Amino acid sequence: MTVYETDLPGVGKKFEVELDGERRLVVVIHNTGRREVFVRPEPDADAEKLFDLSDRLARQVGTILEGAYFQPIRTDSIETVLSDDALIEWVNVGPESPFVGGTLAETRLREEIGVSVVAIQRGEETITNPGPDTEIGTDDTLVVLGSRDACRRLHDLAAGDRTLDDDPDDPDAT
């Protein structure tokens, strides 16, 4: 990311931040504290004004953007909580997973782990209600329904970090 800084004599300073591709975010900070925010679709195009902020409001928005009030937590999986102990989770299957090459019936996910596979995302294709003969491949995403503990165990197995023989309560088992 490149930031361009320009003095605006008698006005203040202008900052241009490269966004994705050619677009730039332009912030003009006036000597009075007022901020004007623009977007420029390409470096040589005219900028379109988005909004003005007072000095005080700009500082508040700045602290929000820098994460002073909330730091998002990144997870490797997506989950939707249905109740206290039931959720739908999207679990990616890694190349080291014991499930690769097996069918849903062979994996015994429902019996051994306690999750039900409701769909499989394979590239651009989504297989809904996959049957017992559906084979699991590397890079498949399993959409499963189960308890939080069961989904966590499935996540470790699908990543290839554990085997079905490992004790699910032993965090060091590999």
Side-chain angles (χ1 to χ4, degrees), residues 89-159:
E89 188 165 14
W90 284 249
V91 178
N92 295 324
V93 177
E96 303 300 321
S97 171
F99 306 137
V100 173
T103 65
L104 283 177
E106 292 168 337
T107 61
R108 302 181 45 82
L109 292 175
R110 187 176 308 166
E111 298 83 2
E112 298 293 331
I113 300 174
V115 297
S116 296
V117 178
V118 296
I120 297 174
Q121 293 177 323
R122 182 173 293 152
E124 298 296 318
E125 177 187 17
T126 299
I127 303 167
T128 58
N129 296 318
D133 295 336
T134 304
E135 191 171 301
I136 298 173
T138 300
D139 296 328
D140 281 355
T141 299
L142 306 178
V143 183
V144 299
L145 172 65
S147 70
R148 186 172 301 279
D149 288 341
C151 289
R152 190 173 298 129
R153 186 167 181 225
L154 174 64
H155 188 276
D156 291 344
L157 288 164

Side-chain angles (χ1 to χ4, degrees), residues 4-16 26-32 34-36 38 40:
Y4 303 94
E5 183 179 328
T6 307
D7 286 325
L8 301 174
V11 176
K13 278 201 181 249
K14 178 175 77 174
F15 297 90
E16 291 193 37
V26 181
V27 178
V28 176
I29 302 177
H30 292 260
N31 291 332
T32 62
R34 185 176 126 228
R35 272 76 161 179
E36 292 179 292
F38 302 84
R40 186 186 307 268

Side-chain angles (χ1 to χ4, degrees), residues 28-123:
V28 176
I29 302 177
H30 292 260
N31 291 332
T32 62
R34 185 176 126 228
R35 272 76 161 179
E36 292 179 292
V37 181
F38 302 84
V39 66
R40 186 186 307 268
E42 49 192 56
D44 296 329
D46 290 334
E48 176 184 335
K49 186 173 182 177
L50 298 175
F51 52 87
D52 278 7
L53 295 172
S54 68
D55 181 57
R56 183 171 167 260
L57 186 55
R59 292 178 190 279
Q60 288 176 325
V61 170
T63 58
I64 291 169
L65 290 173
E66 79 176 3
Y69 299 103
F70 173 73
Q71 284 290 321
I73 299 169
R74 227 175 248 218
T75 63
D76 293 335
S77 62
I78 303 167
E79 62 182 41
T80 300
V81 177
L82 299 175
S83 68
D84 286 345
D85 197 39
L87 54 97
I88 297 173
E89 188 165 14
W90 284 249
V91 178
N92 295 324
V93 177
E96 303 300 321
S97 171
F99 306 137
V100 173
T103 65
L104 283 177
E106 292 168 337
T107 61
R108 302 181 45 82
L109 292 175
R110 187 176 308 166
E111 298 83 2
E112 298 293 331
I113 300 174
V115 297
S116 296
V117 178
V118 296
I120 297 174
Q121 293 177 323
R122 182 173 293 152

